[in-house]
Amino acid sequence: MKNKKICLFLCIAMELQLVGCGKDVSLHNSISSDPPPVSEVTTVSEEVTLVSEVIPEPEPEPEPAPPTEEEIRRSWVPVVEIAESPESVDISSNCFEEIDRIISADVENGFSSAQLAVIKDNKLVYQNTWGCVNSYNPDGTLKEDRVPATNDTLYDLASNTKMYTVNYAVQYLVTHEGLDINTRICDILGNEFYEDTIEVHYLGYEFPGLEAQQEWKSRLTIRDVLCHEAGFPADPRYHSEYYDPSIDKRVDAPVNPLYVGAGADDKTREQTLKMLFKTPLMYEPGTQTVYSDVDYMLLTFVIEKITGQDLESFLETVFWEPMELDHICFNPLKKGFSPNDCAATELNGNTRDGAAFFEGIRTYTLQGEVHDEKAWYCMAGVSGHAGLFSSATDLALLANLMLNGSDDPDEAFFSNEVIDTFTSPKDESHQKWGIGWWLQGQEKERSYYFSSVAPAETFGHQGWTGTLTCIDPTRNLVIVFLTNKINSPVKDPAVDADAFEGSSYTTASLSFVPKLIMESCK
């Protein structure tokens, strides 16, 4: 019986194969004319079922999951390698030896600290740090327990913040979200932006009346504000009651009509937005160019409204996390950094060694807290005009995105078209002004920062605390030079409260660094 079952099974398998080929074959005739017992047929059926279970039909391959937004952004990050030597990217090592000699001599003679990072052709060519994170006691004497600065030390970037927060955010939104920079501010923040304007008289400017003021502000666009031609005053001192805009001076009485407060908290930040709505313009938009912190304070709120995120969260998500930058942030003392992880700035808070006073003023040495008064007291440390801290290397990697655009906007953080638009002169009569960016221009009008040898195409920015970013697209070169020159005594508070001893050193001039590097490029 066992042999007959095996034979019957093989014949059934043959019949199935032949039927599958379109042939009409009788299984029973191939074995016997007599029908098989029911029990045997059942057994064979069970055998066939077992074969079917052993060889299942192949399942289709699952569709691959689409990449996440973070994975897409990670694919845009330029690969930056360590250069074998400066000569491997056509820079002479001699320039870095000379830079080291100059800065080392200044540090030996009292300059606080400096940090440098250079990227060329997507290669990190050089990084170095000199000096100590905090060199002076509040009384202006040198500290004996100075802590050396390192390549990881964070520096207060001051106005370099503008480019790597607001400008980067706007450039990204234009590239990937279709933002039109000719959009009116009031269409984003509401009509209160111009309806709430109050009367304030500025030194040297005639107030045109509230109706004219409201009309001016109602037509302001993102582009107007980015280009510093919106009409806002340079510094209305929102943080101090003891300021009179009609004479543009500190005074002894609380008279500032644009005073917000100095709470350094979210409540004060909300009040700052309301005061931006109230702030009148000094001049009709588009008729002058006046560099103003107010412009980028305002744009902070514009970006937050468009994205639905606070400025820092947006920058972290879009840039810092995909690029794995972990030495760049606002408010570093709230992000796990210690004071000695940060280069200190002013010795006696914001007092200019006793020359300044307002309610809530800081009087201790500032280390890990943004120096800029409006950024700290009015914007809780997070603003598009100042407040960002970074190491030179992380900032150089971020700046290098400006040399790694793409004709396809889906392949880079910024399209080449956007980069070209933002780094070209805003109009023929303003060759040193791009859309936010500072430009060298044909007349070399930014030589004080970028040096006289920088080509016209060079762009970047400077910060009041002693910071410089310089980007030369003709050489595919990024230079980031950071100092804390104001970590020093004020020369004579009664004569000039903003004249720090640190500004007298060669290192504080900043431009000697790009000059030496560019001259050494082959």
Side-chain angles (χ1 to χ4, degrees):
M1 177 61 73
K2 182 176 181 181
N3 291 337
K4 183 181 278 188
K5 286 171 63 179
I6 293 172
C7 180
L8 179 60
F9 171 74
L10 292 173
C11 291
I12 291 173
M14 291 174 61
E15 179 188 29
L16 293 172
Q17 184 177 7
L18 291 170
V19 170
C21 295
K23 297 185 182 294
D24 184 11
V25 179
S26 172
L27 175 63
H28 300 316
N29 288 341
S30 67
I31 300 177
S32 169
S33 59
D34 297 326
V38 173
S39 61
E40 293 185 11
V41 174
T42 303
T43 303
V44 172
S45 176
E46 291 170 355
E47 296 273 4
V48 173
T49 301
L50 289 173
V51 172
S52 175
E53 291 175 352
V54 172
I55 310 175
E57 288 290 327
E59 295 184 4
E61 290 289 331
E63 290 289 330
T68 64
E69 289 188 6
E70 183 177 357
E71 289 171 337
I72 292 172
R73 293 187 189 110
R74 286 185 185 277
S75 72
W76 298 338
V77 178
V79 177
V80 176
E81 301 174 342
I82 305 296
E84 294 180 3
S85 66
E87 283 75 14
S88 68
V89 291
D90 296 327
I91 300 178
S92 170
S93 299
N94 293 338
C95 72
F96 296 115
E97 294 172 3
E98 181 66 8
I99 289 168
D100 177 64
R101 184 191 67 78
I102 293 170
I103 300 175
S104 295
D106 278 353
V107 168
E108 188 175 344
N109 286 280
F111 192 78
S112 191
S113 74
Q115 194 181 70
L116 174 63
V118 179
I119 293 176
K120 187 175 187 297
D121 300 332
N122 284 331
K123 288 183 170 59
L124 180 61
V125 182
Y126 187 83
Q127 56 178 343
N128 202 357
T129 303
W130 301 261
C132 298
V133 296
N134 181 21
S135 296
Y136 290 91
N137 295 306
D139 64 2
T141 58
L142 278 170
K143 291 173 64 70
E144 294 183 359
D145 57 346
R146 284 171 285 177
V147 176
T150 72
N151 288 336
D152 288 333
T153 298
L154 304 182
Y155 282 75
D156 181 341
L157 301 183
S159 284
N160 264 296
T161 298
K162 293 178 172 72
M163 298 302 97
Y164 303 100
T165 61
V166 164
N167 255 60
Y168 264 36
V170 173
Q171 290 173 195
Y172 179 89
L173 293 170
V174 172
T175 298
H176 296 284
E177 304 296 337
L179 175 65
D180 182 357
I181 60 173
N182 292 310
T183 301
R184 296 190 307 166
I185 300 296
C186 65
D187 289 337
I188 299 169
L189 297 180
N191 291 344
E192 295 85 356
F193 172 65
Y194 63 88
E195 290 175 347
D196 292 352
T197 305
I198 64 174
E199 182 173 344
V200 176
H201 294 269
Y202 300 118
L203 177 66
Y205 292 87
E206 182 178 347
F207 189 79
L210 277 177
E211 186 175 343
Q213 279 284 347
Q214 291 173 346
E215 194 277 325
W216 287 356
K217 286 183 73 176
S218 71
R219 53 185 164 94
L220 279 182
T221 67
I222 295 173
R223 188 185 189 282
D224 293 330
V225 183
L226 285 168
C227 292
H228 294 294
E229 58 186 37
F232 285 109
D235 183 5
R237 317 277 176 94
Y238 292 123
H239 58 281
S240 176
E241 287 183 286
Y242 298 93
Y243 170 72
D244 186 347
S246 68
I247 59 174
D248 191 25
K249 288 184 179 179
R250 299 182 181 97
V251 293
D252 295 330
V255 298
N256 189 356
L258 299 175
Y259 176 64
V260 170
D265 54 21
D266 290 340
K267 183 178 179 181
T268 308
R269 198 173 191 265
E270 293 172 4
Q271 292 301 314
T272 299
L273 176 60
K274 294 179 180 179
M275 191 58 73
L276 288 168
F277 289 0
K278 293 181 179 180
T279 303
L281 306 182
M282 287 199 313
Y283 57 88
E284 184 175 1
T287 61
Q288 296 184 39
T289 299
V290 175
Y291 181 78
S292 172
D293 284 343
V294 179
D295 294 332
Y296 277 69
M297 294 173 72
L298 175 63
L299 289 171
T300 301
F301 293 108
V302 168
I303 290 165
E304 291 182 344
K305 184 69 172 181
I306 291 172
T307 64
Q309 295 178 271
D310 64 84
L311 180 63
E312 184 168 26
S313 295
F314 178 77
L315 296 169
E316 283 178 348
T317 300
V318 173
F319 297 105
W320 306 341
E321 290 177 357
M323 297 183 70
E324 299 182 0
L325 304 179
D326 53 13
H327 283 77
I328 186 168
C329 64
F330 292 96
N331 291 322
L333 301 185
K334 296 180 180 179
K335 302 297 167 54
F337 294 99
S338 71
N340 281 336
D341 291 326
C342 309
T345 52
E346 195 171 343
L347 303 181
N348 294 286
N350 294 114
T351 68
R352 303 299 194 274
D353 289 356
F357 172 79
F358 52 85
E359 191 69 32
I361 194 170
R362 294 171 292 179
T363 58
Y364 50 85
T365 298
L366 302 182
Q367 194 169 7
E369 294 180 1
V370 58
H371 176 270
D372 184 272
E373 292 90 343
K374 295 182 297 299
W376 176 258
Y377 300 106
C378 301
M379 298 290 284
V382 181
S383 184
H385 80 285
L388 194 62
F389 285 73
S390 181
S391 67
T393 300
D394 269 17
L395 189 58
L397 292 168
L398 194 60
N400 192 48
L401 295 184
M402 294 298 290
L403 299 176
N404 284 273
S406 173
D407 291 336
D408 183 348
D410 293 329
E411 294 183 354
F413 287 94
F414 312 128
S415 69
N416 284 330
E417 181 182 6
V418 165
I419 292 173
D420 291 344
T421 298
F422 276 70
T423 59
S424 296
K426 65 177 185 175
D427 57 54
E428 291 184 3
S429 61
H430 293 89
Q431 293 293 308
K432 68 177 182 178
W433 296 98
I435 300 182
W437 293 96
W438 288 6
L439 313 180
Q440 175 78 322
Q442 295 295 336
E443 302 299 322
K444 296 185 179 294
E445 295 179 84
R446 300 287 186 185
S447 293
Y448 182 78
Y449 302 110
F450 303 145
S451 85
S452 59
V453 302
E457 296 84 354
T458 304
F459 60 92
H461 216 279
Q462 181 262 355
W464 196 77
T465 51
T467 64
L468 176 71
T469 57
C470 178
I471 303 170
D472 177 0
T474 69
R475 295 184 175 96
N476 207 28
L477 175 68
V478 173
I479 300 169
V480 174
F481 186 43
L482 309 179
T483 79
N484 59 336
K485 68 177 184 179
I486 64 171
N487 181 234
S488 62
V490 176
K491 292 180 180 179
D492 187 341
V495 175
D496 186 349
D498 292 329
F500 291 83
E501 288 184 2
S503 298
S504 300
Y505 293 82
T506 301
T507 301
S509 70
L510 305 177
S511 62
F512 78 98
V513 170
K515 180 179 187 295
L516 289 171
I517 294 173
M518 291 180 183
E519 284 180 334
S520 73
C521 289
K522 298 177 183 177

